[in-house]
Amino acid sequence: MSDAPWLTVLGLGEDGLDGLSPANRQVLDRAEVIMGPPRHLSLVPETGAERIEWPVPFSDGLPILTGLRGRATVVLASGDPFWFGAGSVIARNFEAAEWTARPGQSTFSLAAARLGWPLEGTQTFGLHAAPLTRLRPHLSPGLRAIILLRNGAAVAELATYLTETGFADTQLHVMEALGGPRERARSVSLTEALLGTFDHPVCVGLEVAGEGRVFPKASGKPDEIFETDGQITKRPIRALTLSALAPQRGEHLWDIGGGTGSISIEWLMCDPALTATTIEPRADRAERIRRNADALGQDRLNVIHGTAPDVLSDLPLPDVVFIGGGLSADLLAWLRDALPAGTRLVANAVTLESEALLARWHEELGGDLLRIELAHSAPLGPRRGWKSAYPVVQWSVTL
């Protein structure tokens, strides 16, 4: 086998060969195998190459592609394969020397050009294989976004979701088959989107408007956005806890004793490159965490029903650990012995016993020990007074 890449990821537009450069046409002509979704294959004339339809789900196609190793293979993708496309998946699964990419014009670029929107000020979402709830943290009046959807029927689903979240005045710009002979663009209301018929491939430009709840960008989201049975780290404490956890791009969090999941969900909201696993011993609470994560657009949260430290040894190691429940000397000892140096640990305690435990470990391992005391105004006879919450002791340390 030659040292040259045997695999080419080729970005294809709706105009098929008309949009390809001569060099990219030569790549297709020389291919022994052309692999891609049926719609992409239909845009390319017969060249004598073997044709393989990429299966659904997408992951099922990777073993097939691996079996083609050594044969000149072209994988067809939409527009720019590295903008919510197949390129990143292939790059993760094959050596860099095996593949090359030839991107085409992205759907986002075409849509922005039709709408006259600057891409640097427009949010982009690839929701063709992801839930519409990914939009939820971003919805606010004035937002402009371009969204890729899985099919025409998803336009009505998007309109329904925007109505349910309180943004029924949003303007939708529905664009079908951009860049090809079937291209069509329409600006519609949510009602018109519910009644209309749209053809795949479809993307939608949103100009968000309405009276729906807007999530603040700062840590300490409103308690009311979480479904809870009362077991929740309240907003001010959550803000201080997120500050102590200090998320940095690409880090992974263990949230031990997840309760409502508010800490790990807010962790994920800080940056799309962050990941998290929450461990919750009660099945009903684990299910509630799952619902909260999905509803708030953080479906990538990994929820484990189990007890720490019993389930921890089977999990990928974290960069940061938060203990919000189940604090014990055994758990702290396990974390100290099992986790690598540099792992950050934050634990919150409310009871006298857990406070004493953190004080002993602070003496042994150092770090910062913080006592947080808050009070809220409350009726006091005909007047008002301060009603104190239970103080919280927070220990932060780098192992």
Side-chain angles (χ1 to χ4, degrees):
M1 183 170 57
S2 165
D3 290 337
W6 59 271
L7 172 60
T8 300
V9 186
L10 181 62
L12 196 65
E14 289 300 307
D15 52 356
L17 292 186
D18 291 342
L20 290 182
S21 67
N24 285 349
R25 288 195 184 199
Q26 286 184 358
V27 171
L28 269 179
D29 291 340
R30 295 171 181 170
E32 299 174 48
V33 183
I34 300 175
M35 187 173 178
R39 181 175 64 85
H40 291 79
L41 291 173
S42 69
L43 297 172
V44 176
E46 290 289 344
T47 62
E50 178 185 354
R51 290 179 170 231
I52 301 175
E53 290 189 3
W54 197 289
V56 177
F58 184 84
S59 57
D60 289 353
L62 293 174
I64 300 173
L65 188 59
T66 301
L68 299 174
R69 184 175 271 119
R71 301 176 64 186
T73 302
V74 170
V75 170
L76 300 177
S78 294
D80 186 344
F82 286 91
W83 205 346
F84 297 115
S88 59
V89 179
I90 290 173
R92 286 197 304 268
N93 287 273
F94 294 89
E95 297 294 332
E98 295 186 88
W99 61 270
T100 187
R102 292 174 174 264
Q105 196 168 28
S106 76
T107 301
F108 295 116
S109 296
L110 290 169
R114 302 296 186 271
L115 296 169
W117 293 358
L119 268 177
E120 70 273 12
T122 303
Q123 288 195 261
T124 57
F125 298 89
L127 303 184
H128 44 290
L132 294 174
T133 51
R134 293 274 181 94
L135 293 172
R136 189 62 193 93
H138 308 278
L139 291 177
S140 62
L143 171 73
R144 282 181 170 179
I146 299 173
I147 303 168
L148 306 183
L149 296 174
R150 69 177 184 277
N151 55 32
V155 176
E157 295 172 16
L158 174 62
T160 299
Y161 181 70
L162 290 168
T163 301
E164 292 173 346
T165 50
F167 295 96
D169 296 330
T170 297
Q171 181 80 45
L172 271 62
H173 306 280
V174 184
M175 292 160 280
E176 304 155 74
L178 282 175
R182 297 187 298 112
E183 178 177 323
R184 182 171 63 164
R186 288 173 280 174
S187 296
V188 299
S189 67
L190 296 194
T191 301
E192 291 169 329
L194 287 169
L195 300 175
T197 301
F198 307 95
D199 294 330
H200 180 69
V202 62
C203 76
V204 176
L206 294 184
E207 291 186 275
V208 177
E211 302 298 324
R213 178 190 282 274
V214 177
F215 294 173
K217 296 300 183 183
S219 296
K221 304 294 189 288
D223 294 343
E224 294 77 18
I225 72 173
F226 299 98
E227 177 192 343
T228 178
D229 60 359
Q231 186 72 18
I232 183 174
T233 303
K234 295 296 179 64
R235 180 187 59 80
I237 301 297
R238 196 179 330 121
L240 291 170
T241 300
L242 264 293
S243 177
L245 291 171
Q248 299 176 30
R249 183 174 176 81
E251 289 188 324
H252 184 67
L253 171 74
W254 281 357
D255 179 7
I256 298 175
T260 299
S262 60
I263 291 291
S264 49
I265 289 171
E266 281 218 40
W267 166 277
L268 292 174
M269 286 182 173
C270 293
D271 193 277
L274 295 168
T275 56
T277 296
T278 186
I279 299 94
E280 172 52 54
R282 282 182 45 172
D284 59 332
R285 286 180 175 165
E287 292 170 1
R288 185 177 292 109
I289 292 170
R290 179 77 275 153
R291 291 195 298 271
N292 277 328
D294 292 346
L296 298 174
Q298 309 308 319
D299 51 283
R300 69 187 191 277
L301 175 62
N302 183 28
V303 181
I304 301 294
H305 172 219
T307 302
D310 299 344
V311 300
L312 300 181
S313 58
D314 296 327
L315 300 177
L317 290 176
D319 302 287
V320 188
V321 177
F322 172 64
I323 306 174
L327 180 65
S328 69
D330 288 343
L331 174 58
L332 291 174
W334 189 95
L335 295 170
R336 177 198 59 197
D337 297 339
L339 298 182
T343 304
R344 303 196 302 280
L345 172 65
V346 176
N348 286 356
V350 176
T351 67
L352 293 174
E353 292 80 5
S354 56
E355 283 188 22
L357 178 62
L358 291 187
R360 291 197 300 272
W361 279 80
H362 172 254
E363 183 177 7
E364 178 182 340
L365 296 184
D368 294 319
L369 200 60
L370 177 69
R371 182 180 170 91
I372 306 166
E373 298 188 62
L374 299 172
H376 296 271
S377 64
L380 185 62
R383 299 180 182 275
R384 292 174 298 155
W386 292 110
K387 183 177 180 180
S388 295
Y390 287 115
V392 174
V393 171
Q394 184 179 90
W395 178 46
S396 306
V397 68
T398 299
L399 299 179

